Amino acid sequence: MATAAAPVSAAQAIGEYLQSPDDLVKISAYRKKLEKEKASIDARLKNGVKEQLQTTREGLRKLLNTRDNVQAIKDEMAAMERQCMDPQNTVSTFDQISRVSMVHRNFESTEEMVNNLLEMAEKLDVIEKLLAQDSADILGPAENLLFTHYQLNQLEAFRNHTMHQAKQASPSSRATLQRWFERLNQVITAFDDYILELSRNILPIVRAGYPDVVVRLMKIAEVEGKEDEKAVVIRLVKKAAKWSAASKFKSMQANARVIKHYRSKFTKAIIDSIKDKFREAYKRDEQNPASFLSNLGWVYQDIIRIEEDVVPCFPAEYEIYSLYIREYHKALNTTIKTLVASGPEAGVLLTLFEWLKEYKANMKELNVPSDLLEPSLLDGKEQSLIEDYLQRIIKKLDEWSANLLKTEIAEFTKREEPPETDIDGLYGTQGAVILFQMVNQQVDLATESGQGAILARVVSETNRVMKGIQDQWVKTVEIEFKKQIEKPDEVAGGLVEYCIALANDQIKSADYAEALLVRLKPLVSEKYRVTITERLNDAIDGYLDVAKKCTQTLIDMILNDLKPATKGLFQQVWYDGIMVQIVETMRDYMTDYQSYLNPSLLELLIDDLLDAFLVFYLNALANSPKLRMPAATDRVREDVGLAFAFFSTLKPGKEVERYFEVIEMILALLEASKDMVFLSFWSFAKVHGPNINFVEGLMKARGDLDRSAVSEVMESVKRKVKEEGLTDRKSNFVLRVHSVVDNEYAAPEPTIMKKVNVQNSFSRFLRTN
C-alpha cells in the first residue's frame, strides 16, 4: 500500500519559490500568481456547494412527496379492507347477492360432484384394465403409465375436494361418500404398489430395453413432489394465518391430500431391491460360499449398466449413481459380514481375502470414487481374515490329527487285528496317507493365496502337529514295550507286527514330507524358503527318530527274549554251547522283520542288531569270571562262527567281517603268551584305543595267567600307553577339517568298545555267585 503524502507547511511551500537570493525580486509576481490561483479555487468551491445544496433540496422534496403518496395508498387500502370486511356498508342488497351467488355455486358444485361420481366407476374400469395390462409384465413397456397416473390424479383430487366439503355433513353422508370412494382408494393403492415395484426393478427394466419407463416414473415422482410441496405450504399457511384469511383461497379449502413422498419411496424401493438382490444371491450359494464369491461378477456388470443407461433416466438432483454405488457397497459389506459370521471353511476365508483385493482393484478400474465405498468392506479389517484362516487351519489340523491319532493309537494298543499290508507286502496303516492328505489340502489352499507368509505359517503349524504326533508315538511305543516286558501275560500280542507297521509309516511320512518340501521350495522367496525348509526338515528328522525308536524297540524285544541265554555267556553253561539258541532266536525275529519291514529300515536294524550283539557279547566277556583256557577261546571261535554265518545271511560277508574284527583282536589277546600280549594289545589299541580297564579285566579272567603275570603284562601295557599318549576314543562324531591346502584329517571315531561296560571287582563277584 502506498504511503499517504505528508501535508506541506507554509514555510516549505515558500521555500520552494525562494530557493536563491535572486528569487526575492520575484516576490510580487509570485504573490499575484498565488492570489489568482486562490480566486479560481474559491469560485469552483462556491459553485460546487451551490449545486450540492440544490440536489439535497430536490431529494428532500421527493422524499416528502413519497411519504404523502404512501400514506394516501395506505388510507385507500384501509378503506378497501373495511369495504371487503363488510360489503353491506356500501351495497344494501349485498346479502341477497351473496346468498344467490352461494346457491349458484352450490348447484354447480353439486352437479359437478354428481356427474363425477356417476362417471367415476366407468373411469375406474378403464384404469383397472390399463393397470392390469401394465402390471402383467413388470419389465414391459408400461405404455399406459402416464395416462393411468393422470386419470387417478384427477379422481384423487375430486375425492379430496369432495371429502373436504363433506366435513360439515352428517356422519351418514360422510360414510356414504367413503363407500363411494372405497374402490378408488383400492385402485390408488394398487397403482402405488405397481410403481413401487417398477422402482424395485429399474435396472432390469433398463436391461429389457425400456429406459423410457424409468423416465415416465421420474415424471410422476416430479408431479407428485410438486403437489406434496404445495400441500405442505398450504398447511404451513393455515397454521400461521387465521382461518378467516386462509378460507379465502379455494386451494386452501381442499386440504385433504395425503402427502405421498414418492421420491423417498422410490429411493427406499431401490435400496430394498439392492438388499434383496444380494440376499437372494447369497441364499442361492449359502452352502457354497466360494461359489457365491466367484459368481459376484454381476456387481461390476450392474455398475457399468447403471452408469451408462440408468443415470441418464434420472434428474441430476437424485444423484442416482452415488445412491446405487453406496447401496451396492453397503449391501455387499453386510453380505460379506454374514458370510464370515457363518463360520465358513478356512479355504473360503482365503478366497474371500483374495476377492476383496480384486474388488478394490476392479472398483478403481471402474473409476468409482473412493468416498462412495465407505465404510470399507469388513471395516477395513480384511487382514484379520488371514488370522482367522490360520486359526481355523490350526483348529482343523488339531481336530483331525487328534481324532486320527486317537484311532491309530487305539488300534496300536488293542492289536485286535494284524496290521494291513501294502502292495509291496509290507506292514502299514492308513494313518500316514490320511494325515498328509489333510496337510496337502491345507497347504494347497495356502499356496493359492500367493503369499509366502501364509504358506510359511501353515507349514509351521503343520510341523507343530507332526511333532506332537511323533512325541505321542514315542511315548506309546515306550509304554507298550514296558508292558510287554513287565506283564507279558496281560498284554495283547502283535507288538512286533505293529512296531514294524509304525516304523514303515514313519518312512512313508518322511517321504511325503520331503516331497512336500520339494514342491514348495520353488513357490516362495528365500525369506520364507528358509523357514519352510527348516520346519519340514525338522518334521522329517522327527519321523526318522520315531522309526529309529521302533527299530530299537524291535531289537530290544529280541534282547529281552535272549536275556536267559545271555546271562549264561562265559558262565559254566556257556562251555556246553548256548550260541545256537541265541542265533536261532534272532533268526526267528529277523524272518518277520525281513518280510514286513521297509528295506531301508531293515538295513539299519541289521547294523544296530550287529552292534547290540557285539555289545552284549563283549560286556559278558569283559565281566566274565575265570576263563578255562584254551576251552574258552575255542568256544569263542565257535560262537563267532555261528554268529558270523547268521549275520552273513543278512549282510554281505565282507561288511560282517569288519564288525567281528574286534572279537578277533580280543581272541588274540586271550591266546597270546605273557610275553606276546603286548603285540596283540598294540594292534587292538591302535584301532579301538587302549581301553585299559577292559584289557586288565580280560587278563585277570585268563585262567592261564597268575596275578604276577597279569601285573607284569599290565605294567608294560600302561607304560607304552603313556609313552605313546594313547587315549580312549570318546568322541561321538567324526570331525573333518579342511585346511587352506586342502589337507584332511579325521579325529578318532569311537568304536564298539565305547559301549562296553566293565564292572568293578565287587560287582563281578556278585554276578558270579
Side-chain angles (χ1 to χ4, degrees):
M1 181 181 293
T3 304
V8 181
S9 65
Q12 289 175 332
I14 293 174
E16 291 179 1
Y17 288 102
L18 303 177
Q19 295 181 359
S20 65
D22 295 337
D23 291 335
L24 294 173
V25 179
K26 304 177 182 177
I27 288 176
S28 59
Y30 287 147
R31 179 181 293 172
K32 290 179 181 180
K33 179 181 178 183
L34 292 173
E35 288 176 350
K36 186 177 182 180
E37 289 177 357
K38 180 177 180 296
S40 176
I41 292 171
D42 289 342
R44 287 199 300 272
L45 286 173
K46 185 176 181 181
N47 290 334
V49 170
K50 184 177 179 181
E51 291 175 359
Q52 187 64 36
L53 183 59
Q54 290 176 351
T55 302
T56 302
R57 288 173 179 169
E58 185 65 26
L60 289 172
R61 187 166 51 252
K62 289 180 179 180
L63 285 173
L64 292 173
N65 291 337
T66 300
R67 185 182 67 180
D68 294 340
N69 292 336
V70 169
Q71 185 61 40
I73 293 172
K74 186 176 180 180
D75 294 341
E76 290 177 2
M77 290 292 290
M80 291 177 62
E81 177 71 13
R82 285 192 301 272
Q83 291 180 359
C84 289
M85 291 293 292
D86 191 5
Q88 295 178 2
N89 296 333
T90 56
V91 181
S92 59
T93 60
F94 180 81
D95 184 52
Q96 296 176 357
I97 294 173
S98 177
R99 286 198 299 272
V100 170
S101 177
M102 183 179 298
V103 170
H104 180 70
R105 287 199 304 271
N106 288 341
F107 273 121
E108 287 182 345
S109 178
T110 302
E111 183 182 12
E112 181 183 0
M113 183 181 300
V114 171
N115 291 334
N116 285 336
L117 286 173
L118 294 174
E119 294 172 358
M120 184 172 65
E122 183 179 350
K123 290 181 179 179
L124 286 176
D125 289 339
V126 175
I127 292 172
E128 285 179 333
K129 181 179 179 180
L130 297 178
L131 184 59
Q133 291 177 358
D134 289 348
S135 301
D137 182 10
I138 199 66
L139 304 182
E143 297 173 347
N144 306 306
L145 183 61
L146 290 180
F147 176 78
T148 302
H149 172 257
Y150 174 77
Q151 293 296 324
L152 280 178
N153 200 26
Q154 295 298 313
L155 292 175
E156 186 178 8
F158 164 64
R159 180 200 66 185
N160 293 342
H161 181 67
T162 302
M163 294 305 297
H164 177 74
Q165 288 183 333
K167 280 185 177 181
Q168 304 301 322
S170 64
S172 61
S173 298
R174 291 200 301 272
T176 301
L177 284 175
Q178 288 174 352
R179 287 196 297 273
W180 272 88
F181 290 119
E182 185 174 345
R183 184 184 176 195
L184 173 62
N185 294 336
Q186 293 174 353
V187 174
I188 291 174
T189 300
F191 180 77
D192 286 348
D193 293 341
Y194 170 60
I195 60 176
L196 288 178
E197 188 64 24
L198 289 177
S199 300
R200 294 187 188 96
N201 290 275
I202 285 177
L203 188 56
I205 290 172
V206 171
R207 279 203 171 103
Y210 300 111
D212 51 321
V213 174
V214 181
V215 175
R216 290 196 285 271
L217 196 62
M218 291 303 102
K219 186 63 178 177
I220 291 173
E222 181 183 355
V223 171
E224 294 293 345
K226 290 180 179 179
E227 292 296 324
D228 285 347
E229 290 176 1
K230 186 187 298 183
V232 170
V233 170
I234 291 173
R235 291 179 183 181
L236 291 175
V237 170
K238 287 178 61 178
K239 184 177 180 181
K242 295 179 180 179
W243 176 258
S244 57
S247 62
K248 296 174 186 175
F249 300 95
K250 182 180 179 181
S251 60
M252 288 187 177
Q253 296 172 2
N255 65 341
R257 173 180 173 82
V258 176
I259 306 299
K260 295 188 176 182
H261 304 292
Y262 268 5
R263 177 172 173 174
S264 62
K265 288 181 179 179
F266 288 173
T267 301
K268 185 177 184 301
I270 292 172
I271 294 172
D272 290 342
S273 69
I274 293 171
K275 292 178 180 178
D276 291 342
K277 190 170 187 179
F278 275 92
R279 194 179 297 115
E280 290 170 3
Y282 179 69
K283 188 174 182 180
R284 280 196 303 270
D285 295 315
E286 189 171 5
Q287 303 304 319
N288 187 2
S291 177
F292 165 72
L293 293 172
S294 64
N295 293 333
L296 279 177
W298 56 265
V299 173
Y300 311 118
Q301 297 172 5
D302 284 2
I303 291 174
I304 294 172
R305 181 57 69 96
I306 289 166
E307 184 176 15
E308 293 179 352
D309 299 333
V310 175
V311 171
C313 300
F314 280 79
E317 62 267 18
Y318 272 71
E319 297 182 346
I320 196 65
Y321 179 77
S322 298
L323 173 68
Y324 266 104
I325 298 300
R326 282 196 181 97
E327 295 307 321
Y328 263 69
H329 183 75
K330 289 179 182 178
L332 176 62
N333 189 31
T334 300
T335 307
I336 294 297
K337 287 182 177 179
T338 302
L339 188 155
V340 173
S342 67
E345 295 181 355
V348 174
L349 294 179
L350 204 55
T351 302
L352 176 58
F353 180 78
E354 293 301 317
W355 189 88
L356 291 177
K357 292 197 297 185
E358 293 178 5
Y359 174 76
K360 289 182 180 179
N362 291 336
M363 297 304 272
K364 185 175 182 181
E365 186 176 347
L366 291 173
N367 297 318
V368 175
S370 58
D371 60 308
L372 300 181
L373 303 178
E374 295 292 339
S376 300
L377 295 182
L378 294 179
D379 300 324
K381 298 177 181 178
E382 60 266 24
Q383 194 62 33
S384 64
L385 291 172
I386 298 301
E387 190 59 33
D388 290 345
Y389 161 76
L390 292 172
Q391 291 303 318
R392 294 187 188 186
I393 287 289
I394 294 169
K395 184 179 179 181
K396 287 292 185 184
L397 285 175
D398 287 342
E399 289 177 356
W400 293 340
S401 61
N403 292 334
L404 177 62
L405 185 61
K406 183 179 179 181
T407 302
E408 292 286 306
I409 289 180
E411 293 179 359
F412 187 89
T413 54
K414 293 178 181 178
R415 301 189 286 277
E416 296 173 347
E417 299 290 337
E420 301 175 1
T421 55
D422 60 17
I423 57 175
D424 296 322
L426 304 180
Y427 282 142
T429 67
Q430 293 299 313
V433 175
I434 296 173
L435 175 64
F436 273 87
Q437 284 177 345
M438 296 186 297
V439 168
N440 281 308
Q441 179 184 358
Q442 303 307 322
V443 168
D444 289 342
L445 287 174
T447 302
E448 292 174 3
S449 71
Q451 294 193 31
I454 297 176
L455 182 57
R457 180 81 179 274
V458 170
V459 170
S460 296
E461 292 300 331
T462 300
N463 171 66
R464 178 185 59 80
V465 170
M466 292 178 182
K467 295 297 288 184
I469 293 175
Q470 293 162 4
D471 292 341
Q472 192 62 40
W473 274 124
V474 169
K475 293 177 183 178
T476 301
V477 170
E478 290 176 350
I479 292 171
E480 291 302 306
F481 178 67
K482 185 177 180 182
K483 291 179 183 178
Q484 182 79 19
I485 299 301
E486 295 178 353
K487 301 176 181 179
D489 297 332
E490 299 180 10
V491 298
L495 182 58
V496 169
E497 289 78 4
Y498 271 86
C499 279
I500 293 174
L502 179 59
N504 291 341
D505 277 357
Q506 303 310 299
I507 296 301
K508 282 184 184 178
S509 297
D511 290 341
Y512 291 150
E514 187 172 3
L516 181 61
L517 176 59
V518 171
R519 180 163 68 92
L520 296 183
K521 272 186 175 181
L523 303 181
V524 293
S525 63
E526 182 64 25
K527 176 181 178 182
Y528 300 109
R529 189 180 300 125
V530 172
T531 300
I532 291 173
T533 302
E534 288 177 354
R535 298 295 183 272
L536 288 178
N537 280 336
D538 184 43
I540 292 171
D541 291 343
Y543 284 122
L544 297 180
D545 289 342
V546 178
K548 178 68 174 177
K549 180 66 178 179
C550 292
T551 57
Q552 186 58 50
T553 302
L554 292 173
I555 293 172
D556 291 341
M557 283 190 277
I558 296 175
L559 298 180
N560 183 61
D561 282 358
L562 289 176
K563 276 184 179 180
T566 56
K567 285 181 180 180
L569 284 174
F570 301 102
Q571 305 300 316
Q572 191 61 40
V573 296
W574 172 67
Y575 292 96
D576 296 331
I578 59 175
M579 184 54 66
V580 174
Q581 178 185 351
I582 293 174
V583 168
E584 289 306 317
T585 300
M586 290 191 294
R587 193 188 310 279
D588 288 342
Y589 276 97
M590 288 306 300
T591 299
D592 288 340
Y593 297 172
Q594 286 177 297
S595 300
Y596 300 109
L597 187 62
N598 181 284
S600 299
L601 287 177
L602 179 64
E603 184 177 346
L604 295 174
L605 182 142
I606 293 170
D607 290 341
D608 291 342
L609 181 60
L610 257 170
D611 280 346
F613 171 80
L614 292 174
V615 167
F616 76 69
Y617 195 82
L618 293 177
N619 274 331
L621 177 59
N623 301 287
S624 66
K626 281 292 184 179
L627 298 172
R628 301 203 313 255
M629 306 295 291
T633 56
D634 293 341
R635 175 54 60 191
V636 169
R637 289 191 183 282
E638 291 179 12
D639 290 349
V640 169
L642 288 171
F644 182 84
F646 166 66
F647 283 110
S648 294
T649 63
L650 306 176
K651 288 177 68 69
K654 291 294 184 182
E655 295 184 18
V656 178
E657 284 180 4
R658 289 198 292 271
Y659 280 89
F660 281 90
E661 284 177 355
V662 63
I663 297 182
E664 294 296 335
M665 292 180 179
I666 293 172
L667 271 174
L669 285 171
L670 289 174
E671 294 177 334
S673 63
K674 180 186 70 172
D675 297 330
M676 301 301 292
V677 167
F678 175 80
L679 293 177
S680 298
F681 168 75
W682 185 244
S683 299
F684 171 81
K686 286 191 296 184
V687 178
H688 301 285
N691 292 282
I692 295 298
N693 291 337
F694 174 80
V695 173
E696 185 174 5
L698 199 62
M699 293 300 103
K700 289 179 179 180
R702 283 182 57 169
D704 58 343
L705 295 179
D706 57 20
R707 184 175 298 178
S708 62
V710 172
S711 297
E712 185 179 341
V713 169
M714 292 310 301
E715 283 180 10
S716 63
V717 166
K718 291 176 182 179
R719 185 169 55 253
K720 185 62 175 176
V721 169
K722 184 176 182 181
E723 291 174 357
E724 297 296 333
L726 295 177
T727 58
D728 289 334
R729 299 182 176 184
K730 298 179 181 180
S731 174
N732 289 323
F733 58 90
V734 176
L735 175 65
R736 294 189 179 274
V737 178
H738 296 272
S739 67
V740 292
V741 292
D742 291 331
N743 291 325
E744 184 179 280
Y745 71 88
E749 182 180 358
T751 68
I752 194 70
M753 292 305 300
K754 182 178 181 295
K755 301 178 181 179
V756 176
N757 181 26
V758 181
Q759 297 177 351
N760 55 38
S761 300
F762 181 70
S763 298
R764 189 179 305 178
F765 172 78
L766 292 176
R767 183 172 179 264
T768 58
N769 290 278

